[in-house]
């Protein structure tokens, strides 16, 4: 997907992209390609793939974002989806979190280049950060970070009541079935699954819309070790 095709495809999902945003995405893609030659940030190296698999795929979440929200992107990597969404939502505050120092360093330079004022970068483990930031966020996003049961324990406690957890997933059916109990224990409710096909290659993607309807117990998130060894089920309530 090139720049013109991105503009066209975004129009189809009702996202307007202005000249400045187009230029900013171009700077983002070029900087990512250059940086990736020395420091491994992403397996996606071609500009056309960055436009499709990173930019377009991040922007499908745009419809869920409102002004003046506070959004946490867990395991943001090189800024997907959080940094791309920040470009399109200057009135919304984005906290981009990753445990990997190399990725945070890249993002520090990137947000300077793009002059982004609505982004805060945090280098931390999500389980530690969320434990100290319970019920602070309107939305939590996350792509390609962990299995849904694990991700739910990292994400739902960070949300205000009424806030939305919006993980981006590929094929979700089995993973979702295995996670229903975990989501319920954490005070979440699956509202809907928004399925779409990535343009051109037509691969299946899903956005889960999970609402935080009840307080999570303050014992969550547990240590990562425990989350992995004993994914939440009713017997561990
Ligand atoms: N979200 C980005 C994307 O879609 O391109 C990056 C995905 S990358 C496969 C997973 C990222 O999650 C890595 O950068 C890793 O450091 C981060 N990560 C995994 N577990 C984490 C945790 N518990 N806390 C913080 N970051 C974590």
């Amino acid at each position: 997907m090139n720049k013109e095709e991105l503009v066209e495809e975004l129009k189809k999902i009702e996202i307007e992209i202005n000249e400045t945003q187009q230029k900013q995405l171009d700077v983002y893609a070029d900087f990512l390609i250059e940086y990736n030659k020395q420091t491994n940030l992403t397996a996606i190296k071609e500009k056309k793939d960055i436009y499709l698999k990173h930019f377009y795929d991040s922007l499908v979440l745009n419809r869920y974002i409102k002004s003046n929200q506070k959004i946490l992107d867990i395991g943001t990597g090189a800024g997907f989806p959080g940094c791309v969404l920040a470009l399109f939502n200057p009135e919304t505050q984005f906290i981009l979190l990753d445990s990997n120092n190399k990725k945070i360093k890249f993002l520090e330079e990137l947000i300077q280049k793009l002059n982004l004022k609505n982004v805060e970068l945090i280098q931390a483990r999500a389980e530690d950060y969320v434990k100290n930031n319970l019920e602070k966020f309107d939305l939590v996003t996350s792509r390609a970070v962990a299995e849904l049961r694990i991700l739910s324990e990292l994400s739902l406690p960070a949300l205000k009541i009424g806030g939305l957890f919006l993980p981006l997933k590929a094929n979700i059916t089995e993973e979702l079935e295995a996670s229903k109990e975990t989501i319920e224990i954490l005070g979440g409710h699956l509202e809907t699954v928004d399925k779409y096909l990535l343009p051109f290659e037509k691969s299946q993607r899903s956005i889960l819309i999970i609402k935080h309807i009840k307080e999570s117990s303050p014992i969550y998130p547990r240590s990562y070790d425990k989350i992995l060894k004993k994914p939440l089920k009713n017997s561990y309530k």
Side-chain angles (χ1 to χ4, degrees):
M1 168 181 274
N2 60 29
K3 202 197 298 180
E4 291 69 34
E5 288 166 335
L6 178 74
V7 175
E8 270 309 296
E9 290 299 326
L10 288 179
K11 209 184 270 174
K12 290 183 194 165
I13 55 169
E14 291 169 20
I15 300 176
E16 290 295 325
I17 168 165
N18 63 33
E19 287 286 321
T20 311
Q21 288 159 337
Q22 288 181 44
K23 281 195 192 118
Q24 284 177 312
L25 287 181
D26 211 43
V27 170
Y28 194 159
D30 287 341
F31 186 53
L32 180 58
I33 289 165
E34 271 319 294
Y35 209 98
N36 214 31
K37 287 179 184 161
Q38 271 108 48
T39 311
N40 187 25
L41 300 171
T42 168
I44 296 170
K45 295 183 167 62
E46 299 279 327
K47 198 161 180 173
K48 64 176 177 28
D49 294 331
I50 292 175
Y51 267 76
L52 178 66
K53 293 180 185 167
H54 283 329
F55 295 164
Y56 179 91
D57 204 35
S58 296
L59 285 166
V60 287
L61 280 176
N62 203 52
R63 75 187 77 147
Y64 298 101
I65 295 174
K66 300 191 186 109
S67 291
N68 301 314
Q69 286 183 320
K70 203 170 165 185
I71 299 180
L72 174 65
D73 187 28
I74 292 184
T76 191
F80 309 116
C83 195
V84 183
L85 292 166
L87 278 172
F88 283 69
N89 296 279
E91 306 298 330
T92 300
Q93 196 192 346
F94 287 83
I95 314 298
L96 310 186
L97 177 136
D98 205 288
S99 55
N100 184 321
N101 189 35
K102 284 187 304 186
K103 297 188 175 162
I104 296 295
K105 284 242 152 4
F106 162 76
L107 288 170
E108 265 165 18
E109 286 191 44
L110 179 72
I111 63 170
Q112 293 264 340
K113 263 185 194 296
L114 299 176
N115 198 23
L116 280 179
K117 304 288 185 215
N118 56 333
V119 172
E120 189 185 332
L121 302 173
I122 309 277
Q123 191 215 331
R125 298 281 316 170
E127 54 279 18
D128 300 334
Y129 178 79
V130 170
K131 195 101 197 138
N132 296 315
N133 289 277
L134 299 173
E135 292 191 18
K136 290 267 168 67
F137 294 91
D138 299 289
L139 296 183
V140 174
T141 57
S142 194
R143 188 183 78 157
V145 173
E147 189 232 299
L148 187 57
R149 283 182 302 181
I150 298 167
L151 209 49
S152 297
E153 186 165 343
L154 299 177
S155 303
L156 279 161
L159 282 167
K160 296 174 186 170
I161 300 301
L164 298 179
F165 168 38
L166 303 171
L168 280 165
K169 290 277 177 185
N171 206 340
I172 190 64
T173 316
E174 274 174 33
E175 206 180 322
L176 185 57
E177 203 43 52
S179 307
K180 282 193 170 149
E181 213 175 349
T182 308
I183 293 170
E184 189 204 305
I185 293 168
L186 292 159
H189 175 75
L190 175 71
E191 302 269 292
T192 181
V193 181
D194 188 356
K195 291 196 172 158
Y196 62 98
L197 295 175
L198 209 56
F200 303 107
E201 61 167 58
K202 303 288 178 207
S203 51
Q204 177 76 58
R205 295 280 196 277
S206 309
I207 304 170
L208 306 186
I209 294 102
I210 300 170
K211 197 180 230 180
H212 196 204
I213 56 169
K214 269 194 298 194
E215 257 178 48
S216 313
S217 159
I219 63 169
Y220 305 125
R222 298 166 295 161
S223 69
Y224 204 70
D225 196 40
K226 288 210 176 107
I227 300 176
L228 280 186
K229 278 198 198 131
K230 288 190 171 181
L232 280 177
K233 288 194 293 199
N234 276 326
S235 47
Y236 301 119
K237 236 181 198 176

